[in-house]
Structures are given as C-alpha cells and as structure tokens.
Amino acid sequence: MRHLLLFTLLVTMLFSCKQKEEATNKFLPVDKNATKETVGLYNRLFQLMDKGIMVGHQDDLAYGHSWYKEDGRSDVKDATGDYPAVIGWELGHVEIGAEFNLDSVYFQDMKRYIRETYDRGGITTASWHGNNIVTGNTAWDCAQDSVVRTILPNGVNHEKYLVWLDRVAGFFLDLKDKDGNLIPVVFRMYHEHTGAWFWWGSKQCTPAEYKQLWKMTVEYLRDKKNVHNLLYAYSPSETENEAAYLERYPGDEYVDIVGYDSYVNGKSAEDIQRYKEAMDRNLKIVTDYAAKANKIPVIGETGMESLPDSTYFTGIVYPLITQYKIAWVLFWRNAWEADKPNHYYMPFEGHSAANDLKEFTERPQIFMNECIK
Ligand code: BMA
C-alpha cells in the first residue's frame, strides 16, 4: 500500500512538472531551433503581458542628456530610482564592420550593457538603421526605389549584403552570459517601413520586395548563420487600419512580436490630439492582431521630444496604454551630442517631467526592471 502511495505521488509529481513546463513554454517563436533562453523569453513575455506593461528606453545605459559612458548611470534611473525593464540598442554601422554605431556607442560596450541588463533580469531589443548599400550613405538615403531589389537573391548587391548580414549575425552570436549561453534579443529590423524615409520604405520598394527582404534576412540569420537567440519584431510607422498594417507583413511564420512606432510631432493641443488618436488606433490594431495570431504586441518606439508637456507620462501615455494588453512601451533615446540638446524623450534628474515619470513608473501596472526580476 505504501509503495502504491509513493508511486502515485511520484507519477503526480512527474505529471505536474511536465504540465508546468508545457504551460511555461506554450508559445514557440518563428525559429524552431531557438535556444532554450529565447523560447523562455518569448513565453515570459506572454506571462508578463498579463500582469503589466514594461517601460523601455533606447540606449539607456550608454549615455544620456549631457553625459556619455558613465558606468551604471541612466537618466531614467536618476529620475526614478530604477532602470527600465526593456533597453533598446541600435546596430547601425555594425554591417560595415565599424567599431561603434551611428550614435557613437562602441559595440563592445553595447555587448557589455546587454550582459548587464540580462544579469539584472532585463530585456534587450535592437533596431538596425543599416546603411544604403548602393550609395554607401546612411539608412535615410532613400532617393532610389531599387536598393531592396539589388539586395534580393540575384540582385547585384546580394552577395555583398550577405557579408553585411554576417556581421549582424556575428554581433548576436557574441552575446553570451557568464556561463557562455547566448543572450536572447528582440530584433526589430527594417522598422517604420510604411513611411518613406529609409531605403526599405514604402516608396522605396514594393510590398512583395519588402516581404522578400524580411524573409531572406530571417532565413539567412537563422538557417545559414545559426543565430538562434532572436525574436523578430515587426514595427511599421503608425497605420490607418489592419489592412494597411499588414500590407507588408511577411507572415506569421516570420514574426514573433508586432508593434508600431508613433511620436508626438510638435507640442500644440492639435499635435497631442493627433498623437492620442494615432496611438489609440494603432494600439487597437496591434493588440487585435496579436490576439488573433498569438503574437506579442508592443509599442516599438514612441515619445515627445524634450517633453514640453510635463504630464506626458501620467496624463497622455498612461490612460492610452492601460486600455490595452501590451508587453512594453519603448521611449526613444536621450541624445548625448552637444548639437542635439533638445533630442531626448525621457526626463533626466531635475527636468520638469521627472516627477511625472516617477509617478508613472510607480503605478502597479507599469513595470521597471525591479518588477520583472
Ligand atoms: C533617430 C535620431 C538620430 C539617430 C537615429 C538612430 O531617431 O535619434 O539622431 O541617429 O535615430 O538611433
């Protein structure tokens, strides 16, 4: 009898452990060979999303308003006492083998910041303003409508572009934790493509070409370069409706996270009203689609430059985002460059919106790094 009881207990334990594992890793990313940590991150995002919304900030650890490279510093931490839960990085110029990115962040430093974030339980996402391969100019050189075509298989720049992707792959494959395991990252590539300001934009390539570019990139990184620590995020600029949102969508087989980018352009009441409407509309588009397709919805980029409205966080952002279930909202960078004194999207210590950000981050539904540890 005792043996039977013991046996039943063991079977129950085994069964419940299995159940737990299944429950935790219910969702599989587009990379079926994704590392355990990457699958873990994907599932963690689904779980976190049920509880609250994470705060993200671009380049948070590398520099801030009027400072550059001070270990442990963060404008957000100075203003609120904690690091953001999500930190965004920019890979632009990694493709040409540069030592530092287009905003002067050394890739070696970036890798260290990503490790620090991971050790703190935080989440990393990366954008990529890669150069225009035809002209050698920046991502914003969008005068031609044929750059993407030259990159696709059989295009004149295809082989050269694969070398660029090799370097992107090399960066991701060099992100290791202290035990040598790859650190998972959300790769938000070819973003704002419904606008026409990058060489991969809506006037620069056809929907079919854009989709091909996306698929080619995923397949090359995943299947040829064996990069298995990525979740792929699709993030157009704000759109009018689901059809427009999906016009260039490469398909559920190629996307893990669905987001959008939207900013307050200006500071008048009309500008703010327009932003509120665009945010609300796009939040609905991404959350509805994410629910249908089992994806993670996010706000890929947002903000109000210089924060002329000192109640932006509690007065504008909070009431909008808390009506929806999203994983995070990422605010754009606080430029360190002397010639960009007004280019910041998070308050720093002493800024008139600093208390508002603090109050926002202290609300139970809003998650900073400590909340997700
Ligand atoms: C833009 C601006 C630029 C920056 C670029 C890439 O929105 O912040 O100054 O170089 O993003 O990070």
Side-chain angles (χ1 to χ4, degrees):
M1 189 60 188
R2 258 199 26 223
H3 284 122
L4 186 69
L5 267 176
L6 205 62
F7 178 74
T8 320
L9 193 71
L10 267 173
V11 170
T12 322
M13 271 170 67
L14 270 175
F15 186 65
S16 55
C17 288
K18 185 149 186 292
Q19 259 192 338
K20 189 163 171 250
E21 207 168 274
E22 272 170 8
T24 2
N25 280 339
K26 213 167 116 194
F27 301 98
L28 289 179
V30 302
D31 181 357
K32 297 302 167 240
N33 295 315
T35 63
K36 183 162 95 326
E37 292 75 15
T38 310
V39 178
L41 171 61
Y42 198 41
N43 284 271
R44 187 175 164 223
L45 290 176
F46 279 98
Q47 286 164 2
L48 283 168
M49 193 170 74
D50 280 335
K51 300 186 199 133
I53 302 171
M54 293 184 279
V55 174
H57 187 213
Q58 185 76 2
D59 284 354
D60 188 77
L61 305 171
Y63 58 79
H65 182 71
S66 77
W67 62 272
Y68 175 84
K69 200 168 165 168
E70 291 180 30
D71 270 359
R73 191 161 175 194
S74 144
D75 277 350
V76 170
K77 184 164 181 278
D78 286 349
T80 69
D82 195 5
Y83 293 105
V86 176
I87 299 188
W89 296 105
E90 167 56 36
L91 298 185
H93 290 180
V94 79
E95 73 283 354
I96 54 169
E99 266 183 84
F100 49 86
N101 81 353
L102 73 183
D103 299 315
S104 305
V105 180
Y106 282 83
F107 291 111
Q108 280 310 328
D109 289 334
M110 205 184 282
K111 288 174 190 169
R112 182 166 51 83
Y113 298 134
I114 292 172
R115 276 194 295 275
E116 284 172 14
T117 303
Y118 189 65
D119 288 346
R120 269 201 292 268
I123 291 164
T124 289
T125 177
S127 52
W128 179 32
H129 293 78
N131 272 0
N132 177 325
I133 202 164
V134 173
T135 62
N137 295 330
T138 69
W140 290 266
D141 180 5
C142 54
Q144 315 83 30
D145 60 4
S146 53
V147 179
V148 171
R149 213 172 314 135
T150 75
I151 288 171
L152 295 176
N154 301 323
V156 287
N157 289 311
H158 181 65
E159 294 303 320
K160 188 176 165 199
Y161 197 72
L162 295 187
V163 175
W164 282 18
L165 289 182
D166 289 345
R167 295 187 179 120
V168 172
F171 177 86
F172 290 130
L173 291 174
D174 204 24
L175 295 174
K176 305 247 177 82
D177 70 6
K178 50 185 177 314
D179 303 321
N181 295 318
L182 287 165
I183 298 174
V185 171
V186 175
F187 189 22
R188 193 171 60 91
M189 57 187 193
Y190 309 132
H191 68 305
E192 296 181 7
H193 58 283
T194 48
W197 45 85
F198 298 128
W199 56 257
W200 57 86
S202 61
K203 295 211 164 59
Q204 287 72 18
C205 62
T206 65
E209 286 166 352
Y210 180 84
K211 291 181 201 177
Q212 258 185 290
L213 173 70
W214 184 287
K215 291 182 190 175
M216 180 190 94
T217 306
V218 171
E219 284 165 3
Y220 189 72
L221 294 176
R222 183 188 62 192
D223 308 334
K224 293 276 181 332
K225 303 304 293 181
N226 290 316
V227 182
H228 296 303
N229 52 332
L230 296 182
L231 296 175
Y232 292 93
Y234 175 84
S235 193
S237 201
E238 57 196 46
T239 54
E240 286 303 316
N241 49 47
E242 191 182 270
Y245 184 82
L246 295 177
E247 196 193 0
R248 287 162 188 257
Y249 185 66
D252 290 339
E253 297 303 300
Y254 290 88
V255 174
D256 298 305
I257 294 176
V258 289
Y260 70 91
D261 295 7
S262 173
Y263 286 88
V264 190
N265 296 317
K267 57 178 182 182
S268 69
E270 293 77 51
D271 296 329
I272 291 173
Q273 188 52 30
R274 193 213 59 84
Y275 173 72
K276 285 183 181 168
E277 285 165 16
M279 287 285 275
D280 195 49
R281 189 174 68 245
N282 283 272
L283 276 162
K284 184 151 177 41
I285 295 172
V286 294
T287 53
D288 281 355
Y289 189 73
K292 273 192 279 189
N294 258 331
K295 305 291 174 193
I296 297 282
V298 300
I299 302 178
E301 279 180 40
T302 195
M304 181 179 208
E305 195 178 42
S306 300
L307 296 156
D309 182 333
S310 62
T311 61
Y312 169 72
F313 295 98
T314 60
I316 301 175
V317 176
Y318 185 83
L320 278 167
I321 63 176
T322 48
Q323 291 173 60
Y324 297 93
K325 212 166 94 173
I326 57 171
W328 71 74
V329 48
L330 183 130
F331 299 96
W332 201 240
R333 71 190 193 105
N334 285 12
W336 63 275
E337 299 96 316
D339 63 340
K340 294 189 177 77
N342 299 321
H343 194 53
Y344 58 85
Y345 294 85
M346 277 301 212
F348 36 89
E349 205 177 1
H351 185 281
S352 60
N355 287 339
D356 187 59
L357 174 66
K358 190 163 192 304
E359 198 188 317
F360 171 75
T361 60
E362 281 165 357
R363 295 192 173 171
Q365 262 173 289
I366 304 298
F367 290 172
M368 295 288 279
N369 187 75
E370 281 293 329
C371 315
I372 65 157
K373 270 187 160 169

